[in-house]
Amino acid sequence: MNYPLPSYLSNTGAGPWGVYLEQIERVTPYLGELAYWVETLKCPKRILIVDVPVHMDDGTVSHFEGYRVHHNTSRGPGKGGIRFHQNVTLSEVMALSGWMTIKNAAVGVPFGGAKGGVRVDPRKLSRGELERLTRRYTSELNVLIGPDKDIPAPDVNTNEQIMAWMMDTYSINQGRTATGVVTGKPLSLGGSLGRKDATGRGVFVIGVATAADAGVPIVGARVAIQGFGNVGSTAARCFHEAGAHVIAVQDVSGTIIHPKGLDIPALRTWVEAGRPLVEFPEAEAIPDDAFWDVESEFLVPSALEEQITKDNAHRIRTRIVLEGANGPTTPEADDILAERGIQVVPDVLANAGGVTVSYFEWVQDFSSFFWSEDEINARLDRIMQEAYQHIRDTARARKVTLRTGAFILACERILKAREMRGLYP
Ligand code: GLU
């Protein structure tokens, strides 16, 4: 007999976790004596695998695999999103948790790195099934999460409503209302102004800073975006409002182009109404693979990992790859792009705006005192600008890519904390 194995028993050495490990290998020679501690970044602190049984509307019970990984908590409690996707694997969640550790250190927010996910296609669930799945998964995570332990947030296919259910479930289990257990909540439940747009806005802010150094004007710049979810659509709006032309957009439904620039507000309205992006009338649909041949000044992968690989990196014709997604570029592709003089702005910098405003939300929840949107955006812009300058200067001084520069800075912060704390016992 041949029973299928749970996906977490598949090899975690390959895939996204393999990409993350390779990035750690690449930074190690630059860490000096702190390299003594580097193994700590190759071993997630703890991994929880849970079974999530759900009563389905048709009277059956379905079981889903759920994960939460605490990668590292040297600098603070675990922090990172929850992903609902049919292809979630342990390798992916481990890698995403590692990138959160690096990202939080790179921008200097006082968190460690964590990530969670459920292997489910949420588009196939009714609202009731989605709520029951979220609540049971949250209950299973009860041993790990908490406002001072581990604070989840939205990621691919999760949103404010799911955060509200998570917050409610945790609060009921605790017997008190604990708003600070998740970020990315609705405003009415202790959410923060500016959080929803923060990741896309941060992508744009970092794009502008990089473009200024590269001598690329924003007005008239051609932008190609993969992914039109929360990150991609907000980044598109920011670029559009600044006078750039978003000439190509790809999502799961297909790829569309408009050489003079898509009408982004109209496209957002179209997609928000639940219509397939590829059927947007004021654009031409092209085959998905042709997306990589579109000539642009900015290429913004804002969907999933391992999209830019050794197989398509040679074809890419852009000046700046701005990573809105986590892990979209493999190490081999990084090398090809660097050789071809294409600047890659790494995820751990470019998409750190989301977790930065999550930090503001968490602080506001603790003090029950809420800031204005202008205040949030000004603080976000300042943190992003400073992180960019610091990482750029590190990369220049050490003659490395921005990714390795960001990893040097982040790993130094994490491993210094590790060293100061020491090992127990
Ligand atoms: N999921 C987002 C990320 O990958 C946000 C995480 C958070 O706010 O905790 O950075």
Side-chain angles (χ1 to χ4, degrees):
M1 269 192 270
N2 194 5
Y3 295 109
L5 291 172
S7 62
Y8 50 82
L9 292 178
S10 65
N11 179 13
T12 53
W17 179 245
V19 170
Y20 166 81
L21 288 178
E22 173 67 23
Q23 292 167 347
I24 296 295
E25 285 298 322
R26 288 177 175 211
V27 72
T28 304
Y30 300 96
L31 298 178
E33 293 192 347
L34 286 172
Y36 177 78
W37 295 100
V38 80
E39 288 296 311
T40 201
L41 294 170
K42 299 182 195 165
C43 311
K45 179 181 176 64
R46 52 173 83 92
I47 296 174
L48 182 67
I49 303 172
V50 297
D51 171 44
V52 187
V54 178
H55 274 300
M56 306 304 279
D57 294 346
D58 65 3
T60 62
V61 175
S62 290
H63 290 253
F64 300 92
E65 282 167 40
Y67 306 96
R68 184 75 182 167
V69 177
H70 287 184
H71 176 263
N72 187 283
T73 55
S74 293
R75 298 180 57 261
K79 183 88 190 84
I82 303 277
R83 174 172 297 197
F84 288 174
H85 194 277
Q86 61 276 17
N87 297 336
V88 161
T89 61
L90 181 55
S91 166
E92 181 185 39
V93 181
M94 285 163 66
L96 292 164
S97 70
W99 288 319
M100 286 311 304
T101 300
I102 302 292
K103 186 187 308 186
N104 292 334
V107 290
V109 292
F111 294 126
K115 201 84 179 196
V118 179
R119 195 174 164 82
V120 60
D121 182 351
R123 290 169 307 180
K124 296 200 173 133
L125 300 186
S126 69
R127 187 179 160 90
E129 289 165 344
L130 186 63
E131 177 172 354
R132 293 192 289 279
L133 173 99
T134 303
R135 289 186 182 279
R136 180 58 187 256
Y137 171 66
T138 307
S139 279
E140 296 296 341
L141 257 48
N142 207 32
V143 290
L144 288 191
I145 61 177
D148 52 3
K149 281 164 55 179
D150 173 15
I151 308 105
D155 197 77
V156 174
N157 292 337
T158 54
N159 56 22
E160 291 186 346
Q161 176 61 75
I162 286 169
M163 293 308 114
W165 288 329
M166 290 190 76
M167 184 281 244
D168 182 71
T169 305
Y170 178 82
S171 296
I172 300 283
N173 284 333
Q174 295 289 314
R176 68 188 167 94
T177 294
T179 53
V181 67
V182 290
T183 58
K185 298 179 295 295
L187 274 178
S188 55
L189 294 176
S192 175
L193 290 162
R195 173 62 186 85
K196 197 161 184 292
D197 285 348
T199 312
R201 194 185 152 86
V203 167
F204 172 71
V205 169
I206 294 296
V208 171
T210 313
D213 279 343
V216 176
I218 296 293
V219 175
R222 293 165 300 173
V223 185
I225 301 186
Q226 186 194 40
F228 208 66
N230 186 39
V231 181
S233 70
T234 306
R237 197 193 70 213
C238 294
F239 273 107
H240 180 80
E241 285 171 359
H245 302 307
V246 180
I247 56 164
V249 177
Q250 177 174 85
D251 80 352
V252 281
S253 74
T255 307
I256 54 173
I257 55 165
H258 192 309
K260 292 207 179 90
L262 293 151
D263 181 344
I264 295 300
L267 182 60
R268 279 167 59 101
T269 307
W270 177 267
V271 170
E272 275 161 20
R275 291 171 289 211
L277 172 128
V278 73
E279 288 171 20
F280 184 58
E282 298 153 50
E284 182 193 337
I286 61 168
D288 281 342
D289 190 54
F291 175 78
W292 304 108
D293 299 319
V294 172
E295 203 177 327
S296 64
E297 276 68 49
F298 291 94
L299 174 62
V300 192
S302 306
L304 297 171
E305 313 80 58
E306 297 184 277
Q307 297 301 300
I308 305 179
T309 66
K310 61 177 176 9
D311 300 326
N312 60 9
H314 288 289
R315 286 162 55 186
I316 286 170
R317 289 180 296 162
T318 195
R319 295 284 301 278
I320 297 166
V321 173
L322 197 49
E323 294 187 336
N326 291 310
T329 313
T330 65
E332 294 99 328
D334 261 344
D335 292 343
I336 296 166
L337 295 173
E339 223 163 82
R340 296 182 54 218
I342 296 172
Q343 178 74 282
V344 178
V345 191
D347 46 8
V348 293
L349 169 64
N351 73 31
V355 75
T356 301
V357 177
S358 276
Y359 166 54
F360 300 159
E361 179 173 335
W362 182 73
V363 168
Q364 292 171 90
D365 286 339
F366 266 114
S367 55
S368 297
F369 179 79
F370 291 88
W371 311 344
S372 72
E373 189 156 6
D374 284 349
E375 210 170 337
I376 304 266
N377 287 340
R379 283 177 192 264
L380 170 63
D381 290 5
R382 195 171 69 228
I383 288 185
M384 298 299 283
Q385 303 275 5
E386 283 174 7
Y388 171 75
Q389 284 160 19
H390 210 150
I391 288 167
R392 177 203 58 198
D393 294 348
T394 306
R396 281 185 185 160
R398 308 296 282 269
K399 298 192 169 45
V400 293
T401 60
L402 283 178
R403 189 183 317 279
T404 302
F407 270 65
I408 292 174
L409 204 69
C411 290
E412 282 178 358
R413 288 178 177 160
I414 302 156
L415 299 179
K416 269 183 198 151
R418 166 80 284 173
E419 187 169 67
M420 291 301 291
R421 285 178 67 158
L423 290 183
Y424 169 79

